[in-house]
Amino acid sequence: MRARRLTGSLSCLVVLTLTAAGCGLSGGSDDGGATAGACKVDKGNVGSGKLTGDVKGTITFQTTNLKKDFGDFFNGVIADFEKAHAGAKVKWIDDPGDNTFTSRTVADAQACTMADVINVNAPTATALTKAGYLLDIGTKDPAASKPFVPSFWKTATFADAAGKSIHTTLPWYTGGVLLTYNKDLLAKADIDPAKPPTSIFGLFADYEKIAKASDGKYFATMANPIWRIPADFDQMGIKVLSSDGKSAVFGDDPRTTEWVEWMAKLYKEGAMPKDSLSSSNDPSTLYSQGKVAYGSTNPSFVRFVKQNSPSVYAKTAVGQQPYDDLGVASAGAPQYISVAATSKHAATALSFAEFLTNAENQTAWCKDPAVVIFPTTTESLNDPFFQNVTGTDPFSQARKLVADQLKTASTNQTNLSPAVQNAIVSQVQLAMQGKKSAADAVKDAQEKSNELLKQGS
């Protein structure tokens, strides 16, 4: 990507937008005495009332594994922001985004060293919001919601320590959800790739057919249930948490036990690699080797296959993820941009966060031919780039399929803390290993989840 090409034509608009935004956002009252988590902060960063102050000073901006592929683009965005605000500087760092990301980020927050503007996922946002380390953007800038599709803005809400839902994130980019599959491997199991299943259990039935046809030479999917919880439950319309989010209720739905029974059955029958039960690896490598029939549900996965395994890409097709009881496609939770409540230059941080996620910059990034991501702003989704998609190859079809879904897709994904999610996953893993019944696993998972929720974990 060429950042100058993408952002240069927007320069005049950018300057006007940032100047206007700067008048309504300010940084602090230069008055201490307040805290965010365990950190002393400016009083203007917390509590009620809009943020006040100038957009100036040096802030740190942290992304997750983006610098290698998109360095030019983000350096261009940063340069445009700094040009519009001569007194502001942005230092960009890039985290690898491994499976310790949430715990490391919470540790940084507790040490009062978290980045001023940070790219977070839902589990990390959940943990940081509950601990009080993220700026309440909805309060500090009541106009922050205006650019975003309402359903995406709704996902930007997380519960604070008192259980109150607050907007501590800005929705950024999303991947959408679809089925990616190897047509040849499906055909060997007598599955018609042109007729994707319409329910999760229907998909599981196809997994079983693949297990029986493969004789251990290839697999249907990966085993670790962490990839499916709570996404499958949401798609099936299984209520995971109570309305106030303080208790787990998924075990009250008999379909949850049926789901675990299916997972245990599929694992036993060889639909999943045995060594993938506790592995955090996604299907990328095995799918590209032709050893897994169904790939990742993220459309960007199609780009990975195209770049790394042309022979498998030629056998790849995409289809609709099962609508199931939800009745519409699921967009899943997007990636988010948050502002640290501990920032010493909160006005600058919030101004940059809103600039980064505005329609101009979201559209510009999504137009990069090397990436399949989708924006969360209404203006971006109305851009002809998303409305007039052509092409019959899997890469083009993935973009078209998801772009068609996004305006009506559900984004009501349940946000579980890492501790609660891991408690559920570990019990399902025990059932899959045959160490306890599905019913006992679900019962124990719900009990352990409730213990953690009562503890505030």
Side-chain angles (χ1 to χ4, degrees):
M1 181 181 293
R2 297 292 181 266
R4 297 293 90 209
R5 174 176 61 81
L6 290 169
T7 59
S9 62
L10 303 174
S11 295
C12 295
L13 179 59
V14 164
V15 171
L16 291 172
T17 301
L18 287 174
T19 302
C23 296
L25 300 173
S26 17
S29 57
D30 293 325
D31 184 8
T35 59
C39 306
K40 292 182 179 180
V41 300
D42 188 281
K43 286 183 179 179
N45 290 14
V46 296
S48 60
K50 293 176 65 176
L51 204 57
T52 58
D54 297 327
V55 179
K56 63 182 182 181
T58 299
I59 61 170
T60 302
F61 164 48
Q62 179 179 305
T63 53
T64 305
N65 198 24
L66 294 177
K67 185 169 284 191
K68 178 181 177 182
D69 293 327
F70 305 105
D72 287 349
F73 175 75
F74 288 105
N75 283 326
V77 171
I78 290 168
D80 283 342
F81 180 81
E82 292 177 343
K83 182 178 180 181
H85 294 284
K89 296 294 180 184
V90 180
K91 178 183 177 182
W92 179 24
I93 58 176
D94 197 45
D95 187 273
D98 56 27
N99 58 9
T100 65
F101 175 74
T102 297
S103 60
R104 288 187 292 103
T105 303
V106 170
D108 288 345
Q110 292 171 334
C112 311
T113 58
M114 187 170 69
D116 299 270
V117 178
I118 183 169
N119 171 200
V120 294
N121 55 20
T124 308
T126 298
L128 291 173
T129 301
K130 183 172 288 188
Y133 287 108
L134 296 182
L135 197 74
D136 181 354
I137 297 174
T139 297
K140 296 305 174 183
D141 181 14
S145 65
K146 290 182 179 179
F148 302 104
V149 175
S151 60
F152 282 117
W153 177 248
K154 184 178 179 180
T155 72
T157 303
F158 298 88
D160 64 12
K164 179 184 177 182
S165 294
I166 57 176
H167 280 99
T168 53
T169 64
L170 296 172
W172 195 17
Y173 66 94
T174 187
V177 179
L178 46 67
L179 290 178
T180 303
Y181 47 84
N182 184 312
K183 294 180 292 184
D184 287 8
L185 297 185
L186 264 61
K188 290 180 180 179
D190 198 26
I191 299 171
D192 185 352
K195 297 179 180 179
T198 58
S199 70
I200 297 296
F201 290 157
L203 181 61
F204 283 178
D206 282 356
Y207 289 170
E208 187 174 33
K209 291 179 181 178
I210 291 169
K212 292 178 179 179
S214 68
D215 195 27
K217 296 178 181 177
Y218 55 91
F219 305 93
T221 187
M222 305 296 278
N224 195 337
I226 200 168
W227 297 108
R228 315 189 74 101
I229 295 173
D232 278 12
F233 296 169
D234 287 340
Q235 197 68 42
M236 294 170 67
I238 295 173
K239 193 171 184 179
V240 181
L241 299 177
S242 59
S243 298
D244 61 8
K246 294 182 178 180
S247 61
V249 296
F250 58 85
D252 301 342
D253 191 320
R255 292 176 300 163
T256 305
T257 300
E258 187 179 357
W259 184 91
V260 177
E261 288 173 342
W262 259 112
M263 290 289 286
K265 181 182 180 183
L266 291 168
Y267 186 70
K268 181 179 180 180
E269 293 180 348
M272 310 160 178
K274 297 296 183 184
D275 60 359
S276 69
L277 182 60
S278 59
S279 170
S280 61
N281 293 333
D282 65 19
S284 302
T285 300
L286 290 181
Y287 183 90
S288 297
Q289 294 173 349
K291 295 180 180 179
V292 172
Y294 284 92
S296 170
T297 58
N298 190 326
S300 64
F301 173 75
V302 183
R303 176 182 72 125
F304 175 88
V305 179
K306 183 176 184 178
Q307 293 176 337
N308 293 278
S309 184
S311 61
V312 173
Y313 182 74
K315 304 172 185 176
T316 295
V318 295
Q320 173 61 54
Q321 177 78 354
Y323 278 170
D324 217 292
D325 281 15
L326 190 61
V328 294
S330 172
Q335 287 287 311
Y336 301 101
I337 292 294
S338 289
V339 175
T342 54
S343 175
K344 297 184 185 301
H345 301 286
T348 304
L350 182 52
S351 183
F352 179 72
E354 292 182 341
F355 175 57
L356 176 71
T357 59
N358 70 18
E360 293 86 357
N361 282 317
Q362 285 208 32
T363 304
W365 187 23
C366 291
K367 286 184 177 180
D368 188 310
V371 67
V372 183
I373 56 173
F374 298 87
T376 55
T377 68
T378 302
E379 183 179 331
S380 296
L381 285 174
N382 286 332
D383 191 275
F385 177 76
F386 296 103
Q387 297 302 314
N388 303 322
V389 178
T390 59
T392 58
D393 62 292
F395 190 81
S396 297
Q397 288 302 307
R399 179 176 278 125
K400 176 175 174 55
L401 181 64
V402 176
D404 287 345
Q405 296 169 356
L406 280 180
K407 290 188 177 181
T408 59
S410 169
T411 54
N412 297 322
Q413 181 166 310
T414 303
N415 293 317
L416 297 176
S417 70
V420 172
Q421 185 186 39
N422 289 337
I424 301 171
V425 166
S426 64
Q427 291 300 311
V428 175
Q429 288 170 330
L430 289 173
M432 292 173 70
Q433 292 172 311
K435 295 181 178 180
K436 62 171 57 179
S437 69
D440 285 345
V442 172
K443 176 177 175 291
D444 292 346
Q446 181 152 300
E447 289 179 354
K448 291 179 182 297
S449 296
N450 281 324
E451 290 174 6
L452 290 166
L453 290 166
K454 287 179 182 178
Q455 296 168 8
S457 300

